[in-house]
Amino acid sequence: MALRVMATFEAKFAADDEFPHPEGCYLARKLERACREPGFAEASFDNWRDCGWYVSCLVEASPTWICFARYTPGEQWQLFVESRGPSGFIARLLGKAPVTARPVHRLASVVEAVLRKESSVSALHWSLTADPRKSGVQSLAELQWPENASA
């Protein structure tokens, strides 16, 4: 199973003139630009299931993505970062290197930096294993990452 880091936060983002629906294109554009800065390859964003947005990129040659959407009426958002490559037995069966946690951690660090710079973002919580609203921490540094996840 692929590693997934989840976040919840509250925010009110500016509307996008080109893509007003679903909400959040403003953040998708910011995340895409931020992913290009550390040199992640093929960074692009698109509509995710007509309810949110995703940003995909290659981190250390590992396909990864960020998905986010509002999850309740109001200003509450949910986001996750995960690897999109095969892992475990399937990866070995296909002759691919297993997915490690390092690319997910690096991408989540970029996401956290973007969210912390946004003045409208508050109540940010992260989690690796559960709903961040219930058992999350306020910083990625507080998470108990697998050993191979160090940046």
Side-chain angles (χ1 to χ4, degrees):
M1 185 164 91
L3 175 70
R4 174 183 287 180
V5 61
M6 297 163 284
T8 57
F9 57 94
E10 293 180 13
K12 182 167 179 68
F13 298 117
D16 188 84
D17 292 335
E18 185 179 7
F19 301 113
H21 177 78
E23 294 178 69
C25 186
Y26 167 86
L27 180 60
R29 289 183 192 278
K30 287 201 88 147
L31 290 170
E32 178 191 36
R33 283 192 301 273
C35 287
R36 292 177 189 272
E37 290 175 13
F40 299 159
E42 300 178 19
S44 64
F45 76 93
D46 204 348
N47 184 300
W48 181 60
R49 299 181 180 175
D50 203 32
C51 67
W53 295 91
Y54 74 87
V55 179
S56 62
C57 60
L58 290 175
V59 180
E60 299 175 8
S62 178
T64 56
W65 68 335
I66 307 156
C67 292
F68 64 94
R70 280 192 5 177
Y71 68 90
T72 63
E75 308 306 331
Q76 299 201 1
W77 295 78
Q78 191 161 31
L79 174 146
F80 68 82
V81 178
E82 74 177 355
S83 171
R84 296 188 72 184
S87 61
F89 174 74
I90 300 297
R92 289 191 302 276
L93 188 64
L94 296 173
K96 301 200 181 264
V99 172
T100 66
R102 183 177 160 88
V104 172
H105 187 257
R106 288 189 62 204
L107 185 55
S109 296
V110 169
V111 171
E112 182 175 47
V114 167
L115 293 175
R116 297 247 180 246
K117 288 180 186 174
E118 284 297 313
S119 61
S120 73
V121 171
S122 64
L124 177 61
H125 290 90
W126 294 92
S127 177
L128 286 169
T129 59
D131 183 341
R133 294 170 293 172
K134 296 180 178 142
S135 62
V137 295
Q138 295 181 354
S139 168
L140 282 175
E142 297 177 64
L143 290 177
Q144 298 298 314
W145 287 87
E147 288 183 29
N148 65 356
S150 59

